[in-house]
Every structure is written in structure tokens, then in C-alpha cells.
Amino acid sequence: MTKTLITIDDKEVEAAEGMTVLEAAQSVGIAIPTLCHNEKLEPYGGCRICTVEAEVNGRKKLVVSCVYPVEQNLVVRTRTEKVNRVRKMILELLLSHAPDSKQLQDLAKIYGADKDRFEKEASFCIHCGLCVRYCAEVKKKNAVGFINRGAKREINFNPELAVKECWNCKECFPLCPTAALQAAYVFIEAQISSTPSFEFEKN
Amino acid sequence: MNNERVDQIIEKHNGEANSLIQVLLEVQNENRWLPRQALERISEKLQVPLTRIQHIATFYKAFSLVPKGRHEIHICMGTACHVRGSQNVLDAVKNLTGINPGETDLDLKFSLETVNCLGCCALGPVMEIDGQIHGKLSPADTAGALKKYE
Ligand code: SF4
Ligand code: FES
């Protein structure tokens, strides 16, 4: 496999072709924050917290490191002022959805993000897609999915599958950066058990 | 819509998963909404998980997971129609049908939706019913237009 030579934070890094910038950074111990990334899953690029500055042919631009492939002579900077500013903003926006998320609060401390900057719209889910993708890609059960779009998007358990599969799995719970996932499942559980004759209307 | 008809539509598209949206559109057009039993059938035949189909069916406005009326009313609330009085048209339709945007009446006669531009601003305020354009409407014209539909 051909090697690609790139520079990350003034460090020369030899990356394998097809690697993402995030993987290359991790291979030499440079930490980039991530929320929606998980090695077991396909790259997704949903949360944008892993944004870094990349310089190609003398031009600088912001790229999403968990999906951006390495290329020869790429120069990456992971902690510039601009990057920090972008991450701070992303965190403030996400915190308006999930103000109590420990993971977000920890990052907020690092980047000086103010969790009260934006009005709370506590939907709790930050749409990282970890639960949905884990269930589809690793467990191949598709018990949980997204519904709707834009500001109305939310996760949704398929009740019939949830009773069958989720009780014994729950592997997606610890992946969630907020508590939304567990809450959604508990909710569906409660719905199912409170209506013993629960059956979806067959239209 | 019965399963045989759903199967026919699926077959027309050779049962390929990448025709999912086409299949959904055809069921939607014929049946005016997507019943759960049809989605389950499609999921089984095309081998696409139900949660995925649900995501797609709730993503596009063209699909409905609840029954729709025989006639679909779209009232344009875009800028041009707005300044030409689309709110009065909307109010008149709401009064006459007794439903709000996004709803369907009990007799399944009308469904009402507001849209942001129908592309014929010069005709504003515009109302479209089943694809037919009614332009330059006054609230009184609106009532007249609705009467034509059974
Ligand atoms: S429920 Fe949690 S894991 Fe699932 S998409 Fe939302 S934030 Fe991510
Ligand atoms: S970790 Fe890269 S976009 Fe979420």
C-alpha cells in the first residue's frame, strides 16, 4: 500500500492511503474530539465537532476530519483559533438540545462554550446517529431509526422489534452522548407494558 | 390497498431495493397514503428494514402515513401570494372545510396543506386543488371553487 505523507500540528505523519485525517492523527496520538465517530461504524460526519483546518496547495479550509481522506502533502492543524471557535459554536448549539450531557459539558469546558448561550430546546438527542447506525451496521436489527427531517428529526424504536430484540441487547445505550436514547426506549417499554393488548393497528 | 396490488407495483420495479422511492410514490399516488400493511409488505419484498422505510416516508412531504382526502388543497403562502391576500383565502378554506393545514376532514373529502411557492406568482393568491390552479382568488371565489369538488 502506498504511503501518504502529511503534516499534523507540525508533526510528520505517514498515513496509509484511504485513511481519514482523524485516523492518521490518532495513529500518532494527536487527539481530536469526536461525538458521532465510532471505529466499528462507517464514517458519518454528523456532528462536525472533529473539524480541523487543512491546507492544500497553500489554501486553507475547514474540513471534517472523520470523513476527510488524507492526501499527499496535506497540512493539518487541529487547534487553531478558527477551529476552536467553530467547535465552541457547535458545542453551544448542541448543548441547547442536550444541556445535561456529560460528554458535551466536558468538551464545553475545554472550548469555553457557554451552555446557556442559546435558548434551550431540549430534544435531548443530538442526531449523532450512533444508535441508529450501530443497530443497523453492527447488530443488523434496525430496531431503531430516524423519522422526520430537519428540526423535527428524532429517533424512533419500532415497537415490535424493540420488544423482541432490545431487551437483551441495549448495546446502543452506552454509545449515546446524551440520555435521549435510553429515555426513548424506556418510554416505548412503558407504552407497551401499559397496554397489554398492544398491537399495531393493521390498517 | 391490498397486498396483491402492492406486489404488482413491486414487480413492475423488479423488486429492486433501489426502486424503493418509486414504489412508495406509486402506492402513495394510487392509495393517497401509505398504510402500515403496505409498508411491511414492501419492506419484506425489497429487503429494506421498516425503520429505513419509515425514515424515508417521513422525510419527503410527498408521502403521507395517515389517510388523505380525495382532493388535496394546496394554498400558496409565498411572498407574492402573501401580499396579495393568501391569508384570506386560507381563512376561507379553513372555515368552509373545518380543517387546519396538515389535516383531513372526517369524510375524507379534502386535505389541506400550505406551500411556499407554486411558481406562478403573477396569479396570486393561488390555490391548487388536485394539481389544478385557481388564481387571483378572492375569498368568495374560493368558496365557489371548493363547491366544484365532490
Ligand atoms: S439518541 Fe443518542 S445515540 Fe441516538 S442519535 Fe440521538 S444522541 Fe445519538
Ligand atoms: S466525529 Fe466527525 S463529524 Fe462527528
Side-chain angles (χ1 to χ4, degrees), chain B residues 79-114:
Chain B
T79 316
C81 286
H82 178 81
V83 296
R84 288 161 178 249
S86 58
Q87 189 61 47
N88 299 335
V89 175
L90 177 61
D91 289 342
V93 172
K94 286 204 307 204
N95 272 334
L96 289 163
T97 58
I99 51 173
N100 283 316
E103 296 177 350
T104 299
D105 62 26
L106 279 179
D107 310 328
L108 293 185
K109 186 170 171 191
F110 290 119
S111 293
L112 177 58
E113 237 24 280
T114 56

Side-chain angles (χ1 to χ4, degrees), chain A residues 83-150:
Chain A
V83 166
N84 287 351
R85 216 171 49 229
V86 167
R87 288 188 191 155
K88 173 169 174 280
M89 172 63 108
I90 293 171
L91 285 167
E92 285 169 340
L93 288 166
L94 293 180
L95 278 162
S96 82
H97 287 294
D100 297 326
S101 156
K102 176 86 175 50
Q103 218 175 322
L104 291 180
Q105 284 173 358
D106 290 347
L107 283 169
K109 268 193 214 112
I110 303 174
Y111 292 94
D114 171 10
K115 78 171 173 26
D116 298 315
R117 173 154 176 213
F118 297 108
E119 205 179 315
K120 295 278 157 309
E121 203 182 284
S123 57
F124 304 104
C125 174
I126 58 165
H127 300 150
C128 69
L130 282 172
C131 53
V132 172
R133 292 181 292 136
Y134 188 84
C135 196
E137 292 175 30
V138 177
K139 304 298 289 190
K140 307 225 179 329
K141 296 291 184 208
N142 295 287
V144 57
F146 279 118
I147 53 165
N148 295 328
R149 65 169 168 193

Side-chain angles (χ1 to χ4, degrees), chain A residues 141-150 153 156-161 200-203, chain B residues 1 33-38 40 48-52 54-56 58-61 65:
Chain A
K141 296 291 184 208
N142 295 287
V144 57
F146 279 118
I147 53 165
N148 295 328
R149 65 169 168 193
R153 188 150 72 115
N156 183 277
F157 281 93
N158 174 317
E160 287 105 341
L161 276 175
F200 248 90
E201 322 139 52
K202 298 276 181 217
N203 301 298
Chain B
M1 182 179 268
W33 69 294
L34 304 172
R36 187 181 172 93
Q37 138 265 326
E40 277 169 354
V48 180
L50 200 57
T51 39
R52 237 196 117 59
Q54 224 180 1
H55 188 188
I56 293 167
T58 54
F59 187 93
Y60 294 106
K61 277 267 179 102
L65 294 177

Side-chain angles (χ1 to χ4, degrees), chain B residues 4-20:
Chain B
E4 284 81 74
R5 183 64 195 126
V6 177
D7 287 353
Q8 277 173 11
I9 294 176
I10 293 171
E11 242 148 71
K12 212 169 105 190
H13 294 278
N14 306 322
E16 281 170 26
N18 57 16
S19 308
L20 173 63

